[in-house]
Amino acid sequence: MRRACVAIGAIAVVACHRDPTSNPARDPAPKQHVATDEAKRLLAELEARAKKIKHAPAPRPVASSEAIVDEVTTPETAKPSVETARDVAALPWILDGIVDVAPAGPASASPLGVLLYTSAGELRIARLGRLSRSAVAVQTPLRPLSDGSGPFHYGRGPALFQDRVYWIDHGELLRRRVTEDAIGPLEVLAKDAHDGTRPGVPLPLPDKKGMQLPAMVAYVVRPAKDDDPLIAKLWVEGAPSEVLTAEGNSTHSVSLVETDDGVVALSVQARMAMTPVHARRIRFPSGHTLLGDDVVVWVGGGIQPLTEMTVLPSHGNDLWGFIPEERSITEFGIARLDITQTPTMDTKTNWVLYPNGIDPAPVAAGHVCGEPVIVYAEPQTPAPESEQELVIRAVEDAAGERRATLAQAKGFAEVSIAEVEGGALVTWASNDATAARTVRCKKHAK
């Protein structure tokens, strides 16, 4: 099946493969490289297609570091935004106006607002104000970053756990401490991280209160040789790092989910013709890291190089994994894996199908008004090179009745959602910009 590739994919590949010997403090123009002949072929194909569509605007000049955006208030009316494909009145959500936060870059939604990191190792936060209680759409209470907040490049968004933000850049695993009014100094946790991958921090269980976990993050390691398999490590504050990948396997992406007595690591092993998903329980008795057995919970077809699995723990025993991939030679969509919080080899699969395939195919998952949802990009039509739309949809809505269009663009590189009081914040990076909007609960509106 022919895939509709976009410019953001090409830029993402370029940005994510840089010389690991460059100085992260900070080389403004790091050397670029790709690790394998296959990556070179993919890059050439993506760059050829990128010439056909609009590129992102150039980054703005660097300003003073660690700028904090002031708290914002909610305007009374919303700016015009994308019309939804469904009757808005029938949805349980109110979609507030879209805010262009910054040039396109590695962004994540959080309860604090939109998190972005610059190519100089600085962290920017577009702070989120209090959500409105209005029964009609208003402007999202988020102030754009000031001119000169960058430069930003395409990459995987950062992850927030406890009071620290983690990300991977220039071959290093990095973090900064954040509070409501300040950002701490840059910390280098590891120097063997694989550019272009996302750090995995423990995701909380909505209905349960797990144990008090130490600061930790899982990450994919940069291979020593071009043909070496990718492996994942677990970094834990005050303890030696542990290899998560079982011997003889590899790890393409990795996530962590809290449990009653620790965490479970969920990882994707990408092969040419199949995609095994692994689960491994991890406990911390007496401050030591104890790895459980590695269990293969699902095996699918081959996936694209920019694909990763998105994980969502939910109410009861629900734990889902979402992987964009081909279901057959003529079908493409999101495989929803019903992994459950007690992973076994008996994982059931449901599908949300697209009109055509895309790469990258970003997916995010979270909760809005207590309901599990996914946010994902899909082509608007089956035609190759079709423009895309960003969709929010209830996870268990098989008929597609609780879905709405959030944005439209030539293509999307990143998407993220974070639950906040009264609704959720959704952030994305398209070919045009990093943008965001709030999705509010109708039941909380006055």
Side-chain angles (χ1 to χ4, degrees):
M1 176 177 53
R2 184 176 180 182
R3 294 180 177 274
C5 298
V6 296
I8 51 176
I11 300 172
V13 173
V14 172
C16 291
H17 292 83
R18 291 172 295 179
D19 186 350
T21 63
S22 60
N23 181 5
R26 269 322 211 196
D27 182 0
K31 296 180 181 179
Q32 297 169 343
H33 75 284
V34 288
T36 65
D37 291 341
E38 175 63 17
K40 291 179 181 178
R41 183 200 62 76
L42 175 65
L43 178 58
E45 178 184 340
L46 291 174
E47 287 179 332
R49 295 194 181 199
K51 295 177 181 178
K52 300 179 182 179
I53 65 176
K54 180 181 177 183
H55 288 267
R60 293 171 280 189
V62 179
S64 58
S65 63
E66 316 310 348
I68 300 294
V69 177
D70 294 334
E71 179 113 342
V72 295
T73 57
T74 304
E76 291 302 318
T77 57
K79 293 180 181 179
S81 59
V82 174
E83 296 293 331
T84 60
R86 298 291 189 271
D87 183 3
V88 177
L91 295 172
W93 319 304
I94 299 169
L95 309 180
D96 289 331
I98 296 173
V99 174
D100 285 344
V101 176
S108 293
S110 78
L112 297 173
V114 179
L115 309 174
L116 294 102
Y117 59 88
T118 74
S119 55
E122 296 165 356
L123 182 65
R124 305 297 188 205
I125 306 178
R127 299 274 178 172
L128 180 67
R130 183 175 298 177
L131 270 60
S132 171
R133 299 289 297 274
S134 171
V136 298
V138 300
Q139 185 62 10
T140 292
L142 192 72
R143 183 174 298 170
L145 295 180
S146 60
D147 289 346
S149 294
F152 303 107
H153 56 70
Y154 284 101
R156 303 296 191 185
L160 174 66
F161 178 56
Q162 296 170 346
D163 62 349
R164 286 172 170 80
V165 177
Y166 299 80
W167 70 95
I168 292 171
D169 196 26
H170 288 76
E172 295 181 329
L173 177 63
L174 306 169
R175 76 172 179 182
R176 287 183 185 267
R177 185 172 181 267
V178 294
T179 64
E180 291 189 359
D181 56 3
I183 298 176
L186 182 69
E187 299 178 69
V188 179
L189 307 182
K191 295 187 176 182
D192 59 351
H194 191 41
D195 282 336
T197 59
R198 190 186 310 276
V201 298
L203 302 175
L205 301 177
D207 296 335
K208 301 177 182 177
K209 187 174 182 180
M211 64 176 292
Q212 184 64 36
L213 294 172
M216 69 178 67
V217 58
Y219 69 100
V220 177
V221 175
R222 181 179 64 251
K225 299 179 181 178
D226 289 351
D227 57 352
D228 283 353
L230 298 178
I231 64 169
K233 283 184 179 180
L234 179 68
W235 181 92
V236 180
E237 188 91 68
S241 294
E242 297 280 352
V243 175
L244 291 177
T245 306
E247 186 175 355
N249 295 312
S250 62
T251 298
H252 184 76
S253 67
V254 60
S255 304
L256 299 177
V257 177
E258 292 186 12
T259 64
D260 292 337
D261 60 353
V263 299
V264 59
L266 296 163
S267 60
V268 174
Q269 179 181 0
R271 296 182 177 178
M272 184 66 70
M274 64 178 181
T275 303
V277 174
H278 298 252
R280 190 167 204 170
R281 288 193 171 274
I282 306 169
R283 295 188 296 113
F284 304 94
S286 304
H288 299 289
T289 304
L290 182 61
L291 303 181
D293 293 335
D294 183 277
V295 178
V296 175
V297 298
W298 185 80
V299 178
I303 60 174
Q304 295 299 304
L306 299 178
T307 300
E308 58 185 353
M309 183 171 71
T310 299
V311 174
L312 178 65
S314 194
H315 307 287
N317 195 44
D318 289 334
L319 172 58
W320 294 298
F322 302 93
I323 303 180
E325 71 163 341
E326 297 171 354
R327 186 170 77 165
S328 69
I329 195 171
T330 59
E331 295 176 302
F332 187 91
I334 300 173
R336 189 192 82 186
L337 315 183
D338 295 344
I339 298 171
T340 78
Q341 292 173 22
T342 53
T344 68
M345 297 180 65
D346 186 27
T347 297
K348 297 179 174 59
T349 310
N350 292 280
W351 287 84
V352 174
L353 297 179
Y354 298 163
N356 197 351
I358 55 175
D359 182 39
V363 181
H367 293 87
V368 181
C369 318
E371 181 177 32
V373 301
I374 53 173
V375 181
Y376 60 95
E378 68 175 15
Q380 292 181 342
T381 72
E385 313 298 342
S386 166
E387 289 205 0
Q388 298 176 20
E389 59 184 23
L390 192 68
V391 173
I392 183 170
R393 178 173 180 159
V395 169
E396 298 182 290
D397 176 26
E401 295 176 352
R402 296 195 305 284
R403 76 169 252 161
T405 300
L406 296 174
Q408 296 172 346
K410 290 288 187 181
F412 295 91
E414 277 286 279
V415 59
S416 176
I417 182 171
E419 187 171 15
V420 298
E421 185 177 357
L425 175 66
V426 181
T427 300
W428 61 89
S430 68
N431 57 296
D432 294 318
T434 296
R437 71 190 306 180
T438 44
V439 180
R440 293 186 288 113
C441 311
K442 276 187 179 177
K443 63 184 180 181
H444 294 162
K446 295 181 179 178

PDB file of all heavy atoms in Angstrom, residues 26-43:
ATOM      1  N   ARG A  26      26.278  24.286  23.886  1.00  0.00           N
ATOM      2  CA  ARG A  26      25.421  23.460  23.062  1.00  0.00           C
ATOM      3  C   ARG A  26      25.820  23.746  21.635  1.00  0.00           C
ATOM      4  O   ARG A  26      25.838  24.899  21.229  1.00  0.00           O
ATOM      5  CB  ARG A  26      23.954  23.808  23.213  1.00  0.00           C
ATOM      6  CG  ARG A  26      23.082  23.111  24.233  1.00  0.00           C
ATOM      7  CD  ARG A  26      23.319  21.776  24.418  1.00  0.00           C
ATOM      8  NE  ARG A  26      22.184  20.915  24.795  1.00  0.00           N
ATOM      9  CZ  ARG A  26      22.411  19.739  25.265  1.00  0.00           C
ATOM     10  NH1 ARG A  26      23.641  19.321  25.398  1.00  0.00           N
ATOM     11  NH2 ARG A  26      21.425  18.985  25.582  1.00  0.00           N
ATOM     12  N   ASP A  27      26.152  22.832  20.806  1.00  0.00           N
ATOM     13  CA  ASP A  27      26.538  23.042  19.422  1.00  0.00           C
ATOM     14  C   ASP A  27      25.345  23.568  18.633  1.00  0.00           C
ATOM     15  O   ASP A  27      24.358  22.870  18.487  1.00  0.00           O
ATOM     16  CB  ASP A  27      27.002  21.697  18.842  1.00  0.00           C
ATOM     17  CG  ASP A  27      27.484  21.806  17.418  1.00  0.00           C
ATOM     18  OD1 ASP A  27      27.459  22.932  16.885  1.00  0.00           O
ATOM     19  OD2 ASP A  27      27.883  20.769  16.864  1.00  0.00           O
ATOM     20  N   PRO A  28      25.381  24.804  18.148  1.00  0.00           N
ATOM     21  CA  PRO A  28      24.214  25.363  17.473  1.00  0.00           C
ATOM     22  C   PRO A  28      23.932  24.726  16.131  1.00  0.00           C
ATOM     23  O   PRO A  28      22.840  24.853  15.608  1.00  0.00           O
ATOM     24  CB  PRO A  28      24.590  26.839  17.290  1.00  0.00           C
ATOM     25  CG  PRO A  28      26.088  26.831  17.242  1.00  0.00           C
ATOM     26  CD  PRO A  28      26.512  25.721  18.158  1.00  0.00           C
ATOM     27  N   ALA A  29      24.914  24.046  15.543  1.00  0.00           N
ATOM     28  CA  ALA A  29      24.683  23.396  14.259  1.00  0.00           C
ATOM     29  C   ALA A  29      25.354  22.040  14.263  1.00  0.00           C
ATOM     30  O   ALA A  29      26.372  21.811  13.618  1.00  0.00           O
ATOM     31  CB  ALA A  29      25.239  24.257  13.123  1.00  0.00           C
ATOM     32  N   PRO A  30      24.820  21.075  15.042  1.00  0.00           N
ATOM     33  CA  PRO A  30      25.456  19.771  15.160  1.00  0.00           C
ATOM     34  C   PRO A  30      25.518  19.046  13.824  1.00  0.00           C
ATOM     35  O   PRO A  30      24.629  19.187  12.992  1.00  0.00           O
ATOM     36  CB  PRO A  30      24.541  19.030  16.149  1.00  0.00           C
ATOM     37  CG  PRO A  30      23.245  19.733  16.058  1.00  0.00           C
ATOM     38  CD  PRO A  30      23.563  21.152  15.778  1.00  0.00           C
ATOM     39  N   LYS A  31      26.557  18.256  13.631  1.00  0.00           N
ATOM     40  CA  LYS A  31      26.673  17.463  12.423  1.00  0.00           C
ATOM     41  C   LYS A  31      25.553  16.438  12.386  1.00  0.00           C
ATOM     42  O   LYS A  31      25.141  15.897  13.398  1.00  0.00           O
ATOM     43  CB  LYS A  31      28.019  16.745  12.385  1.00  0.00           C
ATOM     44  CG  LYS A  31      29.216  17.697  12.320  1.00  0.00           C
ATOM     45  CD  LYS A  31      30.502  16.909  12.298  1.00  0.00           C
ATOM     46  CE  LYS A  31      31.703  17.829  12.257  1.00  0.00           C
ATOM     47  NZ  LYS A  31      32.971  17.078  12.259  1.00  0.00           N
ATOM     48  N   GLN A  32      25.088  16.130  11.165  1.00  0.00           N
ATOM     49  CA  GLN A  32      23.988  15.189  11.008  1.00  0.00           C
ATOM     50  C   GLN A  32      24.518  13.912  10.389  1.00  0.00           C
ATOM     51  O   GLN A  32      25.393  13.917   9.531  1.00  0.00           O
ATOM     52  CB  GLN A  32      22.901  15.801  10.133  1.00  0.00           C
ATOM     53  CG  GLN A  32      22.285  17.050  10.782  1.00  0.00           C
ATOM     54  CD  GLN A  32      21.406  17.789   9.822  1.00  0.00           C
ATOM     55  OE1 GLN A  32      21.490  17.576   8.632  1.00  0.00           O
ATOM     56  NE2 GLN A  32      20.572  18.651  10.333  1.00  0.00           N
ATOM     57  N   HIS A  33      23.941  12.794  10.808  1.00  0.00           N
ATOM     58  CA  HIS A  33      24.313  11.523  10.215  1.00  0.00           C
ATOM     59  C   HIS A  33      23.150  10.560  10.345  1.00  0.00           C
ATOM     60  O   HIS A  33      22.256  10.755  11.128  1.00  0.00           O
ATOM     61  CB  HIS A  33      25.548  10.939  10.885  1.00  0.00           C
ATOM     62  CG  HIS A  33      25.274  10.360  12.239  1.00  0.00           C
ATOM     63  ND1 HIS A  33      25.077  11.152  13.353  1.00  0.00           N
ATOM     64  CD2 HIS A  33      25.129   9.075  12.634  1.00  0.00           C
ATOM     65  CE1 HIS A  33      24.846  10.370  14.390  1.00  0.00           C
ATOM     66  NE2 HIS A  33      24.863   9.116  13.989  1.00  0.00           N
ATOM     67  N   VAL A  34      23.144   9.515   9.536  1.00  0.00           N
ATOM     68  CA  VAL A  34      22.186   8.434   9.694  1.00  0.00           C
ATOM     69  C   VAL A  34      22.960   7.165   9.910  1.00  0.00           C
ATOM     70  O   VAL A  34      24.081   7.007   9.442  1.00  0.00           O
ATOM     71  CB  VAL A  34      21.259   8.300   8.460  1.00  0.00           C
ATOM     72  CG1 VAL A  34      20.279   9.444   8.409  1.00  0.00           C
ATOM     73  CG2 VAL A  34      22.056   8.246   7.178  1.00  0.00           C
ATOM     74  N   ALA A  35      22.352   6.234  10.619  1.00  0.00           N
ATOM     75  CA  ALA A  35      23.104   5.092  11.105  1.00  0.00           C
ATOM     76  C   ALA A  35      23.225   3.972  10.090  1.00  0.00           C
ATOM     77  O   ALA A  35      24.173   3.221  10.128  1.00  0.00           O
ATOM     78  CB  ALA A  35      22.467   4.565  12.387  1.00  0.00           C
ATOM     79  N   THR A  36      22.274   3.810   9.181  1.00  0.00           N
ATOM     80  CA  THR A  36      22.261   2.642   8.303  1.00  0.00           C
ATOM     81  C   THR A  36      21.883   3.033   6.891  1.00  0.00           C
ATOM     82  O   THR A  36      21.344   4.114   6.626  1.00  0.00           O
ATOM     83  CB  THR A  36      21.251   1.596   8.815  1.00  0.00           C
ATOM     84  OG1 THR A  36      19.954   2.166   8.722  1.00  0.00           O
ATOM     85  CG2 THR A  36      21.545   1.202  10.252  1.00  0.00           C
ATOM     86  N   ASP A  37      22.153   2.128   5.936  1.00  0.00           N
ATOM     87  CA  ASP A  37      21.749   2.355   4.550  1.00  0.00           C
ATOM     88  C   ASP A  37      20.244   2.471   4.427  1.00  0.00           C
ATOM     89  O   ASP A  37      19.727   3.243   3.623  1.00  0.00           O
ATOM     90  CB  ASP A  37      22.254   1.216   3.666  1.00  0.00           C
ATOM     91  CG  ASP A  37      23.768   1.239   3.512  1.00  0.00           C
ATOM     92  OD1 ASP A  37      24.363   2.307   3.769  1.00  0.00           O
ATOM     93  OD2 ASP A  37      24.334   0.197   3.133  1.00  0.00           O
ATOM     94  N   GLU A  38      19.508   1.694   5.216  1.00  0.00           N
ATOM     95  CA  GLU A  38      18.042   1.766   5.182  1.00  0.00           C
ATOM     96  C   GLU A  38      17.558   3.139   5.631  1.00  0.00           C
ATOM     97  O   GLU A  38      16.630   3.710   5.045  1.00  0.00           O
ATOM     98  CB  GLU A  38      17.453   0.683   6.096  1.00  0.00           C
ATOM     99  CG  GLU A  38      15.926   0.731   6.233  1.00  0.00           C
ATOM    100  CD  GLU A  38      15.210   0.496   4.929  1.00  0.00           C
ATOM    101  OE1 GLU A  38      15.846  -0.018   3.986  1.00  0.00           O
ATOM    102  OE2 GLU A  38      14.016   0.837   4.831  1.00  0.00           O
ATOM    103  N   ALA A  39      18.194   3.690   6.659  1.00  0.00           N
ATOM    104  CA  ALA A  39      17.818   5.023   7.118  1.00  0.00           C
ATOM    105  C   ALA A  39      18.119   6.064   6.042  1.00  0.00           C
ATOM    106  O   ALA A  39      17.351   7.007   5.841  1.00  0.00           O
ATOM    107  CB  ALA A  39      18.545   5.365   8.412  1.00  0.00           C
ATOM    108  N   LYS A  40      19.248   5.897   5.329  1.00  0.00           N
ATOM    109  CA  LYS A  40      19.575   6.826   4.250  1.00  0.00           C
ATOM    110  C   LYS A  40      18.526   6.761   3.143  1.00  0.00           C
ATOM    111  O   LYS A  40      18.114   7.779   2.587  1.00  0.00           O
ATOM    112  CB  LYS A  40      20.953   6.501   3.682  1.00  0.00           C
ATOM    113  CG  LYS A  40      22.112   6.795   4.633  1.00  0.00           C
ATOM    114  CD  LYS A  40      23.432   6.408   3.993  1.00  0.00           C
ATOM    115  CE  LYS A  40      24.598   6.676   4.943  1.00  0.00           C
ATOM    116  NZ  LYS A  40      25.892   6.269   4.348  1.00  0.00           N
ATOM    117  N   ARG A  41      18.092   5.542   2.797  1.00  0.00           N
ATOM    118  CA  ARG A  41      17.071   5.389   1.765  1.00  0.00           C
ATOM    119  C   ARG A  41      15.775   6.050   2.184  1.00  0.00           C
ATOM    120  O   ARG A  41      15.136   6.771   1.410  1.00  0.00           O
ATOM    121  CB  ARG A  41      16.829   3.901   1.496  1.00  0.00           C
ATOM    122  CG  ARG A  41      15.824   3.656   0.375  1.00  0.00           C
ATOM    123  CD  ARG A  41      15.258   2.263   0.463  1.00  0.00           C
ATOM    124  NE  ARG A  41      14.525   2.068   1.711  1.00  0.00           N
ATOM    125  CZ  ARG A  41      13.311   2.572   1.923  1.00  0.00           C
ATOM    126  NH1 ARG A  41      12.715   3.306   1.017  1.00  0.00           N
ATOM    127  NH2 ARG A  41      12.699   2.351   3.076  1.00  0.00           N
ATOM    128  N   LEU A  42      15.374   5.824   3.453  1.00  0.00           N
ATOM    129  CA  LEU A  42      14.143   6.424   3.960  1.00  0.00           C
ATOM    130  C   LEU A  42      14.233   7.943   3.948  1.00  0.00           C
ATOM    131  O   LEU A  42      13.298   8.627   3.534  1.00  0.00           O
ATOM    132  CB  LEU A  42      13.876   5.933   5.381  1.00  0.00           C
ATOM    133  CG  LEU A  42      12.686   6.577   6.092  1.00  0.00           C
ATOM    134  CD1 LEU A  42      11.391   6.216   5.395  1.00  0.00           C
ATOM    135  CD2 LEU A  42      12.654   6.139   7.550  1.00  0.00           C
ATOM    136  N   LEU A  43      15.355   8.471   4.381  1.00  0.00           N
ATOM    137  CA  LEU A  43      15.545   9.918   4.417  1.00  0.00           C
ATOM    138  C   LEU A  43      15.436  10.517   3.022  1.00  0.00           C
ATOM    139  O   LEU A  43      14.784  11.546   2.822  1.00  0.00           O
ATOM    140  CB  LEU A  43      16.899  10.254   5.034  1.00  0.00           C
ATOM    141  CG  LEU A  43      17.271  11.746   5.092  1.00  0.00           C
ATOM    142  CD1 LEU A  43      16.237  12.521   5.869  1.00  0.00           C
ATOM    143  CD2 LEU A  43      18.638  11.915   5.703  1.00  0.00           C
TER     144      LEU A  43
END
